[in-house]
Each structure stands twice: as C-alpha cells, then as structure tokens.
C-alpha cells in the first residue's frame, strides 16, 4: 500500500497491535446491541428456513419431550444426532425449560449467537490488529451469509459463535483465557464436527496471538488451550456421543460439481465487493504482519474439502472470516477518504444486484437470488431481501412441505394399508408432527411411521396391489424428476379422468392431495384431470408451491372459481377454464397463487442438488427418480 492510501502508523486510525491495544467495551456493547437488533428483525418467528430445519426442530422437541438431554441410545436419530451433539442437547434443554414455539426458539437463539460471534470477532480484531469494533460490525452485516445464518435456527450458528469466542479468548493474556479458548473451540467442534478442519488455522492464531502473563516459548503457548480443549472434548464425548459419530452414508455429501454455482457460492454470500476488498486487504496483511497473512490462508482448508461437493455456501461459512478480517483491517488503516469510498463500494449491494441474468433494482434483486440446498442467498438488494425473509416469503417452500402432511392429518386421513403414497411427498415432516403432538399418541405415531415405511418401500411402483394411490401437490406437479414410464402413466390417468381430490378443503381448486389410478373409474373427474394436466403443462412438470404474492418472474398463476371469470375477463382472457376453475397470468384478489420457488429461467441451469437427486435412482426417499 502506498503512503497516500494507508494512514500513518502514528495516526489514531492506524491502531496498535496485540498487547498494545486496549479494548473499548462501550463500542463492543454498541456492536452487540446493533447485531442482535438487526438479526432479530431479519428472523421470521415461526417458519423453517432450510430443508433440514424442521427435522432438526423435531430432534430438539423429541429430546425435550423425553427429557433425554444426554442423548441416550434409545433416542431416535432424526438428523445427525451424534455429529451435532452439544447443539441438540442444550437446545433440547432450552426447549424443555421455556416451552417456547420451536422455530421461534431456534431462530432467535441464532440471532443471539450472531451478536456473540460479532462481538467476539470485534474484540479479537481490536486486540490483534487494532480494528475499531464498528468496522468489524459493518463488514459482518454487509455479508448476507452472516445475516442469514444468524437469523434462523441451525447448528453452525452455535459453532461459529463459539469459534469466534475462542479467537477472542486466545488473544487475551492469562492462563484462564487461554484455557477457555481451548474449551470454546472444543464446544464448537461438538456443535458441528467439521470445525476440526479449522484446527491448523486455530493453532496458528493461538501461536501468533496467544500470550501468558510473561513471554513464553511457542510450545508453552499451546499448553493451556490444549488442556482446555481436551477436557471439554472428553467430557462432552463421554456424556453425549460415546461412539464414533460418522457411521452412515447420511454424513456424506454426494453432490455434483457445478462451476457456475461454485463461483456464485464463493462471491454472493460474502458480498462481491468484500471479496475484492478482502483480496487487497490480504496484500496489506502481508506487508503488515506476514506470518499471520500465511496463517490466514489456512481458512481455505474447509473450502478445499467441500469444493467438489458444494451444494450450499453454509459449508464454507468460514470464508466470512477469510474475506471479512482483511477487509476490516484495511478499513481501519486506510485514510478517511478511502474509507468512505470502500464503504460505498460495499454498501451498493444493499440496494442493487448484478448477475448473469441482468442488473436489478431494489425490489427485483431480492427475487433473483442464488438457489442453494439451504435456502436462498441474495445477489443484492439486501434490504428488501431481509424484509422478505422476515415476512416469510422465502420460507413458503419449506412451510408447504410441513403443511401438506399437517393437512393430511388434520383432514382425517387414516394411516392404514388401504392407501400408499407415490411420487414425491414430504414424509420427512412426520417426525416434526409427531414430536409436536400433531399426530396424536404413541400408537398413532407408530401407525403413521408404518404408513410412511410401507409407501417408501414400494416407492414409484404404480402396479395394482390392491392399495389406492395418493399423490401430494408437490408429487403430481413434479414429474420431471421421475422415470418416463412413471410420468406417462400419471398423465394417462389424468387424461382419462381417473383422479379425485382426497379430503378436499372447501374452495380448494388445485388439490393438496389426490387419489389417482385404477381405483378411480374412468371419466369420474374429467375436468379435474384436464385442469391438472394444464397445471403440469404450465409449469413444465416441475415442482410448484403456493405463493404469498404474484411474481411474474416466478411464472405465478392465479386460480379462481369459474364463476368469477365474467368479472375478470374485462382485463384479459384466462389461461385456462373449466366448469369449476379458471387461471389467470396476473394478480387477482382472493385467488389461489402458485408458482416456481425461483425465476423460471433458472430451470435451464443444472444445480448440484437436482443432479444428486437424479442419480439417486435407488434411494427410498425418491424411488422413482431416474
């Protein structure tokens, strides 16, 4: 950096390093309050965000219901129980103690961890590089992955919070702080096992910045942290794990590599401007403190591990530190005029968005997000994106999965051997409904589990075995991921009118559940069959979800009773009409809205998630996939 850009080392904004730098607890408090407030505003209080959110919630409720906080061998393992043991155990204890609505508890607890992570990282950077806490706070809030991760319930928010605490404690002098640093990183590992990939970075950080009351040899600096780590790790292991945790295929990640998505996952979640500024900041770190600049590169180890299996940026969340730390250091040390320019360069993404699909303003940018296995990630328009997140727009897909099974139960379906489900259906919602008490007593839960197991065993087999066939809305709309034979048979039955709505709610035009097949006489419901065929044609046999608002880019359609057509025809003819229902390609007040979960143009791009599902032809969860 030239002297015209970087502030003089003697200037106040240049800051001091390590032991020379004292903490200003008032600014740390301001940072913590700001982080907690903004993360809580982004969080939705009652809806799941990612595909595994409801399953994790079920695990926590099951622990609370059974008071099984030590995770006994009798406890059902709904989702990687032994890989996230401390997260589950403490969350279950909190749920038992508070009795709070589970998604509220999980989501707002993550917001608290976000404030802890931000304050801890700010304290660490203040001690080590003299960075003002407000710079660290600004950089973290400018990275959407930080805001998203800490506004919904997940184990990595706990792990990242504890890891940041460990970095802050390791930079404090004294045996107690050093021991606590080791304990904190052990707790982080017990919240999410892949934190072990950060061991080289953590050791390097501790060697560079760890210090006792008096100067020590390098190996002595590791004694107290190592003791703290081993004690906590051993205690938690003996209490909660008790056996090797990686013992089944569910702990692996079999996703195909996609170069376009890989580039997107390494940039958009972290703010593209911060990615660029962070690179410049690393060059400044090389000049400022070369040993640390080399240690900093060890944060790339998790990225290297997951690179070929990258279906979500959550796997590389540690890039928040990789990009964020050098950006904050650079902001601290450059002159004020350059600070203002960098802040403006970073903040532009809060309003605008850019992708290979175009340049978007505040409202549209939040719609053209990057799809991931763990929910949407914005390309820009952060302010509107977080408003939609709080409102629940992006959660409607995961909520729809829950509601499909919830409605089947509420409408009185009996889980006996008269029916089985074919095609895609949200059977993974059953543990959540069971743990929340919505399935009934233990006997009813067992019956639903047997019903699910029986359906999954036969999967996509459409042969007549005496059972009547059910399909969910996401199942009959999503024929693109089934075999051609399966899809052809479903369309043939629809064309012959061999379909009936199953436990139809009054006014429901696109049934949530249907019965289909030879158990239904031909021409029993020709209009319904024709309507659903048009629905499949309209959405190219892709999975469709209810929507809260009409979005043209998502190919929304508005479905109304046929009796309303005459009043609506003045502004345009319907897309489809039969004796009972009609569809329009514009917003209609009071209509049932359906559409894709993301822009229609995305279906031209192959995602790792889709490619993975297409290869799982023998998987019981998607038995008819080709």
């Amino acid at each position: 950096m030239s002297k015209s850009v970087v502030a003089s080392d003697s200037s106040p904004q240049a800051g001091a390093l390590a032991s020379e730098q004292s903490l200003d607890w008032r600014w740390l408090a301001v940072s913590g309050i700001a982080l907690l407030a903004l993360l809580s505003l982004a969080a939705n209080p009652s809806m799941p965000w990612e595909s595994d959110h409801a399953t994790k919630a079920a695990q926590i409720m099951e622990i609370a219901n059974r008071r099984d906080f030590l995770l006994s061998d009798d406890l059902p393992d709904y989702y990687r129980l032994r890989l996230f043991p401390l997260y589950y155990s403490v969350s279950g204890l909190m749920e038992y103690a508070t009795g709070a609505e589970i998604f509220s508890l999980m989501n707002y607890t993550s917001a608290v961890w976000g404030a802890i992570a931000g304050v801890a990282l700010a304290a660490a950077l203040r001690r080590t590089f003299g960075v003002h806490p407000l710079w660290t706070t600004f950089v973290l809030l400018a990275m959407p992955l930080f805001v998203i991760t800490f506004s919904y319930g997940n184990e990595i928010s706990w792990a990242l919070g504890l890891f940041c605490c460990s970095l802050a404690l390791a930079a404090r002098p004294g045996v107690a702080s050093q021991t606590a640093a080791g304990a904190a990183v052990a707790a982080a590992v017990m919240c999410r096992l892949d934190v072990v990939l950060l061991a080289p970075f953590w050791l390097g950080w501790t060697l560079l910045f760890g210090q006792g009351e008096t100067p020590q040899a390098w190996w002595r600096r590791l004694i107290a942290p190592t003791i703290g780590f081993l004690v906590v790790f051993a205690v938690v292991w003996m209490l909660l794990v008790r056996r090797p945790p990686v013992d089944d295929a569910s702990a692996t990640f079999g996703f195909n590599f996609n170069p376009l998505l890989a580039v997107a996952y390494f940039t958009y979640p972290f703010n593209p401007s911060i990615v660029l500024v962070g690179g410049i900041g690393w060059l400044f770190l090389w000049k400022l403190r070369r040993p640390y600049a080399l240690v900093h590169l060890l944060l790339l180890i998790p990225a290297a591990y997951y690179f070929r299996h990258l279906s979500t940026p959550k796997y590389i969340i540690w890039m928040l530190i990789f990009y964020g730390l050098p950006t904050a250091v650079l902001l601290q040390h450059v002159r004020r005029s350059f600070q203002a320019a960098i802040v403006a360069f970073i903040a532009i993404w809060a309003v605008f968005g850019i992708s290979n699909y175009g340049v978007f303003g505040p409202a549209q940018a939040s719609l053209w997000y990057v799809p991931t296995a763990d929910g949407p990630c914005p390309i820009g328009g952060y302010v509107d994106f977080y408003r939609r997140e709080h409102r629940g727009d992006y959660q409607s897909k995961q909520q729809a999965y829950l509601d499909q099974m919830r409605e089947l139960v509420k409408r009185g379906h009996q889980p006996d051997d008269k029916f089985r489900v074919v095609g895609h259906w949200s059977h993974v919602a059953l543990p959540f409904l069971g743990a929340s008490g919505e399935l009934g007593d233990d006997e009813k839960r067992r019956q639903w589990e047997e019903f699910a197991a029986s359906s999954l065993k036969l999967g996509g087999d459409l042969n007549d075995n005496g059972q009547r066939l059910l399909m969910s809305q996401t199942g009959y709309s999503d024929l693109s991921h089934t075999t051609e034979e399966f899809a052809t048979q479903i369309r043939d039955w629809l064309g012959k009118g061999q379909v009936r709505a199953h436990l139809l709610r009054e006014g429901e035009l696109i049934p949530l559940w249907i019965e289909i097949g030879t158990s239904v006489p031909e021409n029993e419901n020709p209009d319904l069959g024709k309507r659903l065929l048009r629905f499949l044609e309209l959405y190219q046999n892709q999975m469709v979800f209810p929507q809260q608002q009409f979005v043209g880019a998502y190919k929304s359609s508005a479905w109304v009773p046929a009796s309303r057509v005459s009043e609506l025809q003045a502004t345009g003819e319907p897309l489809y009409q039969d004796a009972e229902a009609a569809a329009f390609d514009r917003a209609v007040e009071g209509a049932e809205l359906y559409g894709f979960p993301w822009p229609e143009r995305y279906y031209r791009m192959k995602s790792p998630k889709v490619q993975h599902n297409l290869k799982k032809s023998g998987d019981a969860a998607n038995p008819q996939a080709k």
Side-chain angles (χ1 to χ4, degrees):
M1 288 289 168
S2 69
K3 292 182 179 180
S4 63
V5 176
V6 180
S8 168
D9 287 345
S10 62
S11 68
Q13 59 177 316
L17 298 181
S19 61
E20 302 171 4
Q21 183 63 58
S22 61
L23 289 177
D24 189 332
W25 294 103
R26 292 170 298 178
W27 282 114
L28 289 175
V30 169
S31 296
I33 293 170
L35 286 164
L36 182 59
L38 293 173
L39 293 172
S40 298
L41 283 175
N44 179 280
S46 60
M47 297 173 74
W49 174 262
E50 63 175 349
S51 57
D52 305 321
H53 200 163
T55 314
K56 293 172 184 175
Q59 189 74 71
I60 293 168
M61 288 190 292
E62 196 71 55
I63 292 168
N65 293 342
R66 296 173 178 238
R67 305 179 190 180
D68 194 348
F69 309 117
L70 295 182
L71 314 184
S72 72
D73 292 342
D74 295 331
L75 183 67
D77 185 349
Y78 295 140
Y79 189 81
R80 299 175 183 170
L81 180 64
R82 306 295 168 182
L83 294 181
F84 315 146
L86 189 61
Y87 165 71
Y88 280 132
S89 178
V90 178
S91 294
L93 184 60
M94 292 169 60
E95 171 63 14
Y96 173 74
T98 64
E101 196 280 328
I102 187 62
F103 291 125
S104 292
L105 177 71
M106 294 174 72
N107 295 349
Y108 288 125
T109 299
S110 283
V112 172
W113 276 112
I116 293 171
V119 169
L121 195 59
L125 297 194
R126 187 63 169 166
R127 285 189 179 277
T128 54
F129 293 103
V131 177
H132 195 286
L134 292 187
W135 285 130
T136 304
T137 303
F138 167 73
V139 171
L140 290 175
L141 288 175
M143 292 189 282
L145 185 59
F146 179 86
V147 178
I148 292 170
T149 300
F150 288 108
S151 57
Y152 79 92
N154 63 93
E155 77 292 339
I156 207 164
S157 64
W158 292 51
L160 181 54
L162 286 163
F163 187 79
C164 290
C165 288
S166 178
L167 297 183
L169 289 165
R172 289 192 60 180
V175 174
S177 294
Q178 301 295 299
T179 306
V185 80
V189 170
M190 283 303 180
C191 285
R192 185 175 171 97
L193 190 60
D194 61 359
V195 175
V196 297
L197 296 172
L198 293 169
F201 171 78
W202 182 78
L203 288 171
W205 177 279
T206 303
L207 284 172
L208 286 176
F209 302 119
Q211 49 193 310
E213 301 292 351
T214 58
Q216 294 176 315
W218 68 267
W219 59 272
R220 287 184 178 275
R221 299 177 197 170
L222 295 179
I223 294 177
T226 301
I227 291 174
F229 176 88
L230 292 176
V231 169
V232 171
F233 187 88
V235 169
V236 177
W237 177 281
M238 289 187 291
L239 288 176
L240 304 181
V241 183
R242 298 180 294 274
R243 62 174 183 268
V246 184
D247 56 2
D248 63 83
S250 68
T252 63
F253 306 90
F255 295 94
N256 286 358
F257 176 72
N258 182 292
L260 184 62
L261 279 178
V263 172
Y265 288 168
F266 275 94
T267 53
Y268 285 121
F270 309 100
N271 188 312
S273 295
I274 288 179
V275 173
L276 179 59
V277 175
I280 300 171
W282 184 85
L283 295 175
F284 178 68
L285 281 174
W286 181 263
K287 175 184 176 182
L288 182 70
R289 194 154 189 169
R290 187 167 299 180
Y292 176 75
L294 293 173
V295 167
H296 191 76
L297 297 178
L298 297 174
L299 285 167
L300 292 173
I301 291 176
Y305 177 78
Y306 284 119
F307 189 71
R308 292 288 300 175
H309 314 288
L310 199 57
S311 64
T312 168
K314 192 172 79 171
Y315 296 158
I316 54 171
I317 194 170
W318 315 104
M319 299 296 286
L320 288 171
I321 303 175
F322 183 79
Y323 294 130
L325 186 151
T327 299
V329 171
L330 187 66
L331 278 167
Q332 177 64 38
H333 288 80
V334 298
R335 295 184 181 277
R336 293 191 185 278
S337 58
F338 285 95
Q339 286 176 339
I342 293 172
V343 167
F345 183 51
I346 291 172
I348 193 173
W349 298 91
V351 180
F352 299 103
I354 302 174
S355 79
N356 55 319
Y357 292 99
V359 179
F360 304 96
Q364 288 296 310
S366 60
L367 299 175
W368 290 77
Y369 59 79
V370 179
T372 84
D374 289 313
C377 181
I379 63 166
Y382 300 157
V383 174
D384 194 59
F385 183 93
Y386 301 141
R387 179 183 65 84
R388 292 178 183 274
E389 178 189 355
H390 176 75
R391 192 170 65 184
D393 290 12
Y394 303 120
Q395 293 90 324
S396 58
K397 175 182 175 181
Q398 303 305 329
Q399 189 65 43
Y401 287 141
L402 276 181
D403 289 344
Q404 281 183 10
M405 289 307 303
R406 178 176 282 134
E407 286 298 311
L408 188 64
V409 175
K410 286 174 64 177
R411 295 180 190 186
H413 179 82
Q414 297 301 311
D416 51 36
D417 58 4
K418 295 178 183 178
F419 290 91
R420 61 184 172 92
V421 183
V422 295
H424 176 277
W425 62 296
S426 51
H427 59 89
V428 293
L430 286 175
F432 178 87
L433 298 178
S436 64
E438 296 176 69
L439 294 184
D441 59 21
D442 290 345
E443 177 60 24
K444 272 291 185 184
R445 289 186 68 177
R446 185 190 62 77
Q447 291 175 8
W448 276 104
E449 288 168 1
E450 289 180 355
F451 172 76
S454 174
S455 294
L456 291 171
K457 183 178 180 180
L458 291 173
D461 185 358
L462 298 178
N463 292 321
D464 188 357
N465 68 342
Q467 289 180 303
R468 298 155 69 180
L469 304 182
L470 291 180
M471 296 190 79
S472 69
Q473 193 177 86
T474 53
Y476 65 73
S477 68
D478 184 28
L479 297 183
S480 64
H481 297 149
T482 67
T483 64
E484 185 58 36
E485 180 183 8
F486 182 96
T488 299
Q489 181 62 80
I490 296 300
R491 285 192 287 263
D492 181 62
W493 282 332
L494 291 174
K496 292 178 180 178
Q498 289 182 274
V499 58
R500 67 168 65 107
H502 183 64
L503 302 174
L504 189 70
R505 188 189 69 230
E506 184 177 356
E508 192 173 78
L509 302 175
I510 304 297
L512 200 58
W513 288 88
I514 61 172
E515 180 183 346
I516 194 168
T518 55
S519 62
V520 183
E522 288 191 25
N523 294 315
E524 178 172 313
N525 282 295
D527 277 358
L528 178 59
K530 185 171 67 171
R531 187 186 318 156
L532 297 185
L533 281 174
R534 182 67 179 102
F535 194 70
L536 290 172
E537 178 187 9
L538 183 64
Y539 291 107
Q540 306 157 45
N541 299 305
Q542 299 286 349
M543 196 176 294
V544 180
F545 296 92
Q547 294 187 329
Q548 296 189 29
Q549 63 176 347
F550 193 96
V551 181
Y554 292 7
K555 202 171 184 178
S556 295
S557 60
W559 292 78
V560 298
S563 59
R564 294 190 59 190
V565 170
S566 58
E567 70 176 270
L568 297 171
Q569 276 181 320
T571 53
E573 293 295 320
L575 287 171
Y576 168 82
Q577 182 179 359
D578 60 39
E580 296 179 352
F584 290 85
D585 59 356
R586 63 180 187 275
V588 175
E589 185 177 354
E592 286 182 24
L593 299 180
Y594 294 94
F596 293 129
W598 45 61
E600 179 188 5
R601 292 179 65 185
Y602 285 5
Y603 286 98
R604 303 172 191 173
M605 177 180 66
K606 294 180 179 180
S607 74
K609 184 78 170 179
V610 169
Q611 294 301 300
H612 175 58
N613 287 340
L614 291 177
K615 294 181 71 175
K616 287 176 62 178
S617 57
D619 192 287
N622 190 15
Q624 75 281 4
K626 64 177 177 179

